[in-house]
Amino acid sequence: MYIGQRIRRKEDLKLITGTGRYVDDINLNGMFYLAILRSNVPHARLKKVNVEDALKLPGVVDVITGLTINVENRPKNFPMAVDEILYAGQPIAAVLAEDRYTAYDALDYISYDYEELPAVIDPEEASKDEVKAVEESSNIAYSKVYKGGNAEKAYEDSEIKIEEKFYISRVYPSPMEPRGLVADYQQDRITVYASTQSPHYMRSYLISAFPDFDFRVIQADVGGAFGSKLFPYAEEYITVYASIKSRRPVKFINTRSEELHSTYHGRGQIHHVKLGASKDGKVNAIIDDLIIDLGAAWHGFYLADISSTLITGPYDIKNAMANIKGVLTNKVPLDQYRGAGRPEAAFVYERMMDILADELRIDPIELRKKNVIKETPYVNPFGLKYDSGNYLDLLNKAEGIYKEMEKNAEELRKQGRKVGVGLSFYVEQNNFGPWESASVRLLANGKVEVIIGAAPHGQGTGTAIAQIVADELGINIDDVSVTWGDTDKISNAFGTYGSRSLTLAGNAALLASRKLKENIIKLVASFLQSDPEEIQYKDGKVFNPKSGKALSLAEIAKMATSNLGGTWNYKAEPTLEATASFGLDNYTFPYGSHIAMVEVDDSGKVRVLDYVAVDDIGLVVNPMLAEGQVEGGIMQGFGEAIMEGIVYDNRGNLLTPSFAEYTIPSPAESFRMKWMYMEEGMSSAPLPAKGIGEGAAIGAPPAIVRAIEKASGRRITTIPVRMEDLI
Ligand code: MCN
């Protein structure tokens, strides 16, 4: 059995030997390069773009201005500012040149005339709708109220009432590889090579924008995405348009500074929360007024829906209300970053739990135990059905770890060091659908190829899916290859996002393997002149127990593909391939706990001394891959808690335009961490897994923040926590 084993990643060899092929490694004959002139004013009326001087430069082929394409939830002048500039970084013009250097140099020869407009940067200011982020539009781009029970009355009737406001900064998802694509026009068909999380979704949004063309989208190797390479970007439309217009291949690669000015930021929420409880700590009501800072487009609004509908977390709180305002500001548009709405919710409900515990002078774990959901399935006040698990059991395990860490912390405190321990407990929603597909093929050499519709980009899902298929077919994992990321290889699919790939594509691959076995049995019955019922499949061999005749997969593949001539005399279709799709009728809800011990020194510097995460994600297919996900997520959560934050000045200039100002954790800040798991909360899929790709990014910030709070004695309501806040 390979499932459950720490199998090494099959993906790594090419990546670590430099034979990976990222978008920027793709060079096509006659290729032009595209560079984008971006606005350096946050809000202005655009009068005129002067391109004549740029066009005179040797090597410059074209300058594109004024391109508009109607894409849902984007401002009217998407993908290029035409009459109104909405944020610093917005594309205004694109230069097409024979080489990249000429393209970038030519940007200096373009100027634009504009009349500056007041910009609105602070989301609370924007919610007053006085200064407009987009002329003649309301700043309130989205509003929604969620109600479950009667939260207002329950709050009023509560013995204990607490109220707090939380600020969660905008962050940049920081993939190692910036966004980029190559568009290759050929006779009404355009091949796009992209650094994307979903070639199929990209194909569908490019088809809507350019309906006269057929698209093939190929996912190049991707150097990370973390949610930021899923939804449509201005530069993609501009590059494709440039390829169609010039009838040449065109390459666009973002620079890091352009990334910070254009890749959708994540998070950016403000929560004003009221919580009502009884004196003994039973929470009766939670009311959350949420402002989400959408930036200069509408499309990130759904993140507030995810946060709101999970605002009661893993706790049995009957009365809840969430009141969302999505506001436009003159900033880079907002969209998902690992966790997408769930880290924001967990930060809020876990902060409120700790604050209530402090208020009531109750042990924070006792308080959580009192409120935690005791039975699953459980329907939360907004109708989300938490599918399975034993929350109390996991919390008990986490408590043991917490107590151990507390003991160690106490020793260090006795030495005069400022050390604290924090625990978070979370539930999350994943396996965002609708479904995923997979094809399994017996190749002519007797090996098996699996093509999945999911589009992994660092997670190692290919290895885990090889484990599943090798087990199902009873063959050596070295005989299974898994490929993905090409719309011509598998027709309908979705991609990798929302911690879905293992569960949905993995189950699709499992079902396709079962179908393949059936197809093979039928074919072998025909070869052996037997009834299919007489034929059995076991450990990569097909045999007739009566006659004792057996064929290996390699022999079957050979028999089916190597004889030319003759006539059709098979009783079954000679299909050595099967495709299956798989979807769930509910999301999956993994849950877990993080426990952190930190030290804060006199300069306000935070160091993590110890860290343990415990999760229940149902069946764990490859504990090493899952652990890798948890470790990466913990580091990102750590970054979000104390280091990372997009900062604008109040005129709308981005003050964090590079990794010199926008700091992310490096190995120097890394720390010892341990991951443990239990397998009680199985999903309802045939292979009963849930996702783990985002859990740690959800559990980490509240645990780290609580530990900092305990170490420093300062109440923390804003992330990132700055050093100066802790002295
Ligand atoms: N896994 C497992 N057993 C399970 C669940 C998962 O062994 N029960 C393994 C899988 O085989 C896979 C990994 O854990 O190797 C994550 O699987 P899954 O939870 O299905 O998540 P996805 O593959 O759908 O990945 C998406 C998720 C998201 S939403 C973001 S954002 C994110 C993340 O993955 N972005 C990443 N992890 C990332 N890791 C890297 N290196 N780069 C990114 O951009």
Side-chain angles (χ1 to χ4, degrees):
M1 277 293 277
Y2 293 106
I3 291 177
Q5 303 295 318
R6 297 173 71 90
I7 305 289
R8 283 190 166 199
R9 287 163 46 116
K10 289 164 84 73
E11 296 84 342
D12 284 344
L13 192 63
K14 75 170 179 179
L15 301 177
I16 60 173
T17 53
T19 47
R21 221 160 154 244
Y22 297 88
V23 179
D24 206 10
D25 297 322
I26 293 164
N27 293 307
L28 303 177
N29 258 347
M31 190 164 80
F32 290 149
Y33 293 80
L34 190 113
I36 303 236
L37 180 80
R38 298 178 183 277
S39 152
N40 51 20
V41 285
H43 196 194
R45 248 173 239 141
L46 181 59
K47 300 283 189 195
K48 188 164 175 270
V49 186
N50 310 301
V51 302
E52 299 74 22
D53 291 347
L55 281 169
K56 282 183 209 146
L57 286 183
V60 169
V61 177
D62 195 2
V63 180
I64 300 162
T65 57
L67 179 65
T68 60
I69 288 171
N70 202 2
V71 177
E72 210 186 337
N73 292 324
R74 265 77 182 164
K76 59 183 194 273
N77 43 11
F78 181 83
M80 273 184 176
V82 178
D83 49 5
E84 189 177 352
I85 294 168
L86 298 175
Y87 62 96
Q90 187 176 13
I92 292 181
V95 174
L96 204 59
E98 277 164 10
D99 65 83
R100 187 178 289 166
Y101 302 99
T102 308
Y104 273 90
D105 284 350
L107 299 181
D108 291 343
Y109 292 80
I110 305 174
S111 63
Y112 53 98
D113 306 334
Y114 61 90
E115 184 189 322
E116 202 159 346
L117 293 166
V120 59
I121 304 304
D122 175 31
E124 289 179 299
E125 228 14 75
S127 73
K128 295 179 192 156
D129 212 11
E130 287 160 7
V131 179
K132 302 287 183 191
V134 180
E135 277 201 308
E136 289 159 28
S137 284
S138 166
N139 290 341
I140 314 299
Y142 183 65
S143 48
K144 177 134 187 168
V145 181
Y146 287 95
K147 279 187 179 179
N150 189 344
E152 279 151 325
K153 178 159 190 321
Y155 176 74
E156 279 316 314
D157 294 347
S158 291
E159 292 165 336
I160 305 291
K161 298 186 181 89
I162 56 172
E163 192 170 339
E164 199 53 83
K165 205 166 182 183
F166 300 104
Y167 291 85
I168 301 168
S169 173
R170 280 180 157 229
V171 290
Y172 160 60
S174 306
M176 207 184 283
E177 180 208 24
R179 290 183 296 112
L181 88 165
V182 169
D184 182 16
Y185 170 89
Q186 276 176 315
Q187 256 323 92
D188 300 341
R189 184 161 212 242
I190 298 158
T191 303
V192 172
Y193 303 85
S195 182
T196 175
Q197 297 175 223
S198 175
H200 290 83
Y201 181 52
M202 180 179 265
R203 177 181 64 179
S204 86
Y205 65 71
L206 290 177
I207 287 172
S208 340
F210 303 98
D212 297 338
F213 299 90
D214 176 29
F215 284 88
R216 173 183 186 186
V217 180
I218 299 172
Q219 180 196 39
D221 284 325
V222 177
F226 306 108
S228 70
K229 295 177 181 172
L230 181 62
F231 288 109
Y233 278 96
E235 298 86 351
E236 294 159 356
Y237 296 98
I238 299 171
T239 309
V240 167
Y241 174 80
S243 180
I244 295 171
K245 191 169 176 218
S246 65
R247 303 193 167 222
R248 290 278 204 106
V250 175
K251 180 187 277 188
F252 164 76
I253 305 285
N254 236 3
T255 65
R256 184 65 67 188
S257 172
E258 287 183 279
E259 279 278 290
L260 279 135
H261 277 100
S262 65
T263 293
Y264 302 144
H265 298 159
R267 313 287 192 252
Q269 295 190 2
I270 301 170
H271 293 252
H272 182 173
V273 191
K274 292 180 191 160
L275 185 136
S278 61
K279 275 190 196 135
D280 63 356
K282 179 78 190 88
V283 179
N284 307 319
I286 184 162
I287 300 176
D288 182 15
D289 285 319
L290 193 178
I291 296 179
I292 181 164
D293 177 1
L294 295 172
W298 289 243
H299 48 89
F301 70 91
Y302 69 96
L303 296 162
D305 292 326
I306 297 176
S307 302
S308 295
T309 48
L310 281 169
I311 205 65
T312 54
Y315 305 111
D316 179 23
I317 305 172
K318 298 268 185 286
N319 304 291
M321 182 162 113
N323 190 352
I324 304 172
K325 253 190 203 174
V327 298
L328 298 178
T329 53
N330 298 105
K331 295 185 191 166
V332 172
L334 189 88
D335 217 301
Q336 58 177 266
Y337 170 47
R338 197 174 196 171
R342 288 152 283 162
E344 298 90 316
F347 182 71
V348 170
Y349 60 71
E350 285 304 84
R351 287 283 58 223
M352 286 309 269
M353 276 291 157
D354 284 332
I355 292 169
L356 179 65
D358 291 348
E359 201 79 18
L360 296 174
R361 295 176 195 281
I362 301 182
D363 174 81
I365 302 179
E366 279 312 308
L367 181 73
R368 284 175 171 83
K369 280 191 188 168
K370 188 176 272 291
N371 288 288
V372 79
I373 290 161
K374 307 284 181 328
E375 257 179 53
T376 53
Y378 170 88
V379 180
N380 89 358
F382 302 130
L384 289 182
K385 187 171 160 196
Y386 301 175
D387 51 352
S388 58
N390 187 339
Y391 294 16
L392 192 56
D393 193 16
L394 194 142
L395 194 49
N396 282 330
K397 282 199 173 70
E399 184 178 27
I401 299 160
Y402 176 89
K403 284 193 168 147
E404 200 56 39
M405 250 189 230
E406 239 322 306
K407 233 191 274 164
N408 297 338
E410 187 52 32
E411 286 306 309
L412 297 171
R413 283 195 290 263
K414 278 188 196 147
Q415 297 165 19
R417 291 164 66 176
K418 289 195 280 181
V419 176
V421 180
L423 172 143
S424 72
F425 191 63
Y426 74 93
V427 63
E428 70 136 328
Q429 171 188 18
N430 66 25
N431 272 303
F432 289 86
W435 47 269
E436 201 43 271
S437 59
S439 279
V440 180
R441 289 179 185 163
L442 178 60
L443 301 177
N445 61 5
K447 300 200 176 200
V448 169
E449 183 188 20
V450 186
I451 305 160
I452 51 169
H457 44 275
Q459 293 85 350
T461 320
T463 302
I465 289 183
Q467 292 174 244
I468 297 167
V469 172
D471 276 352
E472 184 60 28
L473 297 180
I475 57 177
N476 191 307
I477 195 166
D478 294 337
D479 292 337
V480 181
S481 61
V482 181
T483 59
W484 60 86
D486 183 346
T487 53
D488 271 7
K489 272 199 159 187
I490 191 156
S491 53
N492 290 312
F494 291 89
T496 286
Y497 54 89
S499 300
R500 69 195 295 279
S501 306
L502 188 276
T503 310
L504 299 186
N507 274 289
L510 176 77
L511 299 182
S513 304
R514 288 180 184 166
K515 275 193 191 173
L516 177 67
K517 284 198 285 192
E518 284 167 20
N519 290 345
I520 291 175
I521 285 174
K522 279 190 218 148
L523 187 60
V524 169
S526 167
F527 289 156
L528 301 181
Q529 310 283 320
S530 323
D531 249 4
E533 286 71 42
E534 290 172 6
I535 305 291
Q536 291 181 15
Y537 182 107
K538 194 158 186 274
D539 297 338
K541 287 221 158 37
V542 185
F543 60 101
N544 185 333
K546 262 207 230 151
S547 67
K549 280 188 191 159
L551 292 170
S552 69
L553 290 183
E555 286 166 326
I556 296 164
K558 197 166 169 206
M559 285 173 82
T561 58
S562 61
N563 287 337
L564 298 187
T567 54
W568 172 281
N569 58 4
Y570 304 133
K571 285 191 216 148
E573 219 181 322
T575 304
L576 296 178
E577 178 171 343
T579 298
S581 303
F582 180 78
L584 286 164
D585 62 1
N586 187 19
Y587 299 101
T588 57
F589 291 84
Y591 57 99
S593 176
H594 284 223
I595 308 106
M597 175 162 80
V598 313
E599 178 168 17
V600 179
D601 72 14
D602 291 337
S603 67
K605 191 161 184 235
V606 173
R607 209 155 57 90
V608 177
L609 304 180
D610 202 0
Y611 201 105
V612 180
V614 194
D615 282 287
D616 185 358
I617 56 166
L619 177 77
V620 178
V621 172
N622 184 326
M624 185 173 69
L625 296 175
E627 185 177 79
Q629 289 294 303
V630 172
E631 289 177 350
I634 290 170
M635 283 321 290
Q636 286 180 310
F638 170 79
E640 192 181 339
I642 73 158
M643 296 177 75
E644 300 182 38
I646 290 286
V647 184
Y648 282 90
D649 70 13
N650 54 16
R651 292 191 50 237
N653 301 302
L654 182 64
L655 301 182
T656 46
S658 78
F659 280 152
E661 303 84 12
Y662 185 91
T663 50
I664 58 171
S666 73
E669 287 82 26
S670 182
F671 43 84
R672 189 173 66 171
M673 50 184 103
K674 190 173 170 198
W675 183 58
M676 294 158 75
Y677 63 95
M678 51 186 234
E679 292 178 309
E680 289 193 38
M682 297 292 183
S683 75
S684 63
L687 182 93
K690 301 182 185 177
I692 187 63
E694 295 160 286
I698 300 165
I704 292 168
V705 161
R706 175 59 170 177
I708 297 173
E709 189 168 77
K710 292 299 276 179
S712 66
R714 307 281 168 93
R715 177 169 288 185
I716 294 162
T717 53
T718 297
I719 47 172
V721 185
R722 303 275 176 199
M723 282 170 77
E724 55 270 29
D725 301 333
L726 300 177
I727 19 178

